[in-house]
Amino acid sequence: MSASFSCFYRKAWPGLLLPALLLLPSLLSAQVGGLEAITVQDTDEGTSYSISLQVLFLMTILTLLPAALLMMTAFTRIIVVLGILRNAIGTSQTPSNQILLGLAFFLTLFVMWPVFEQVYDDAVQPYMAEELAADDALQAAIGPFRDFMSSQTREEDLAMFMRISGNGPVATIEEVPFSVLVPAFMTSELKTAFQIGFILFLPFLIIDLVVSSTLMSMGMLMLSPMIISLPFKIMLFVLVDGWSLIMGTLAASFLT
């Protein structure tokens, strides 16, 4: 188990953090407006250090990195579907947000594992072996993410963002700017997540309608239908092995 986790950690995390790691040396060694990243001054009271705007710019990039990576992976579709499923069952706080986030995170890692492996083999290892420059390694790292997002993006969403950005028609998907591909991918992911959520909602909605009609015909208008329908929805979900079906369906939805 420890060996598997070590391999998982060694390949997945470099794929997640590579863009920031590749930008780090160039940002620290570059000069912005003639200012060095760290300046040292000798004064009467001793040595003082000052940090220029480069480090602040780097820290800003690092804070935005998790959000950017979430927009380039399978996380959005998975967490939206799990949230809709929880509302469909009627348990607004169970499972908790932390549990749903944990499930979505690890399922995202499983889905994105081939992408991380390709990034590690094509970009991380050559860069650490000094076989690729930082810019070339960054382009090699972006390639697998571009291929994954392209396979999940609808043509109409891509055309809409190309039109919004003012870019003309392109011959191949490789010519689409990365700044256009990311929002188009996110829009397609949300659309797909809501379609899956609609299908999941139907059986639970039918149970709510049957219970509500039964209570109304019995004259029990003061009794909330949710109290009666909730055990039946949970029982239905457990009998069909709902969690395994949901996880398997979400993982299979990314296969092309």
Side-chain angles (χ1 to χ4, degrees), residues 4-19 69 105 108-110 112-113 115-120 124 145:
S4 301
F5 179 80
S6 176
C7 178
F8 175 81
Y9 179 85
R10 181 172 57 88
K11 291 188 176 181
W13 288 113
L16 288 171
L17 300 178
L18 181 65
L69 290 174
F105 177 73
T108 300
L109 291 180
F110 296 146
M112 299 297 297
W113 180 252
V115 178
F116 295 150
E117 278 192 325
Q118 188 175 355
V119 170
Y120 183 82
V124 176
F145 285 100

Side-chain angles (χ1 to χ4, degrees), residues 138-160:
L138 182 59
Q139 292 299 321
I142 291 177
F145 285 100
R146 173 184 283 274
D147 294 339
F148 171 78
M149 290 188 291
S150 300
S151 64
Q152 304 297 327
T153 304
R154 290 179 169 86
E155 294 183 1
E156 56 270 22
D157 296 328
L158 192 59
M160 179 189 66

Side-chain angles (χ1 to χ4, degrees), residues 21-244:
L21 294 178
L22 293 179
L23 288 175
L24 178 60
S26 58
L27 286 174
L28 291 180
S29 61
Q31 291 188 357
V32 179
L35 295 178
E36 298 180 353
I38 300 177
T39 59
V40 182
Q41 296 179 350
D42 293 328
T43 61
D44 297 338
E45 299 178 355
T47 303
S48 63
Y49 300 89
S50 62
I51 301 177
S52 70
L53 295 178
Q54 295 179 21
V55 176
L56 296 179
F57 180 68
L58 174 63
M59 297 304 297
T60 303
I61 292 179
L62 292 178
T63 56
L64 296 177
L65 181 62
L69 290 174
L70 291 181
M71 295 173 63
M72 296 161 53
T73 63
F75 183 84
T76 299
R77 181 190 303 186
I78 296 172
I79 193 62
V80 170
V81 170
L82 293 180
I84 293 177
L85 173 64
R86 183 174 64 178
N87 291 332
I89 296 176
T91 55
S92 58
Q93 299 297 328
T94 304
S96 63
N97 293 331
Q98 291 81 357
I99 295 176
L100 293 185
L101 287 172
L103 286 174
F105 177 73
F106 280 99
L107 186 57
T108 300
L109 291 180
F110 296 146
V111 172
M112 299 297 297
W113 180 252
V115 178
F116 295 150
E117 278 192 325
Q118 188 175 355
V119 170
Y120 183 82
D121 295 336
D122 298 345
V124 176
Q125 280 189 334
Y127 177 73
M128 296 179 65
E130 299 182 355
E131 299 175 359
L132 284 179
D135 294 340
D136 296 334
L138 182 59
Q139 292 299 321
I142 291 177
F145 285 100
R146 173 184 283 274
D147 294 339
F148 171 78
M149 290 188 291
S150 300
S151 64
Q152 304 297 327
T153 304
R154 290 179 169 86
E155 294 183 1
E156 56 270 22
D157 296 328
L158 192 59
M160 179 189 66
F161 280 99
M162 288 290 289
R163 184 175 63 254
I164 293 175
S165 62
N167 293 293
V170 295
T172 59
I173 191 66
E174 287 76 14
E175 300 178 11
V176 176
F178 201 71
S179 59
V180 174
L181 181 60
V182 172
F185 168 73
M186 285 294 295
T187 304
S188 297
E189 286 294 281
L190 290 175
K191 187 181 298 184
T192 303
F194 274 83
Q195 289 175 348
I196 298 175
F198 171 76
I199 298 175
L200 291 177
F201 223 106
L202 288 180
F204 301 108
L205 179 61
I206 293 174
I207 294 178
D208 286 333
L209 291 176
V210 171
V211 171
S212 179
S213 300
T214 303
L215 292 178
M216 186 175 297
S217 63
M218 296 175 61
M220 305 174 65
L221 302 178
M222 300 302 295
L223 182 62
S224 175
M226 289 296 297
I227 300 177
I228 307 299
S229 63
L230 181 58
F232 289 99
K233 290 191 288 187
I234 294 177
M235 180 182 65
L236 172 66
F237 193 69
V238 172
L239 288 177
V240 300
D241 197 10
W243 287 113
S244 297

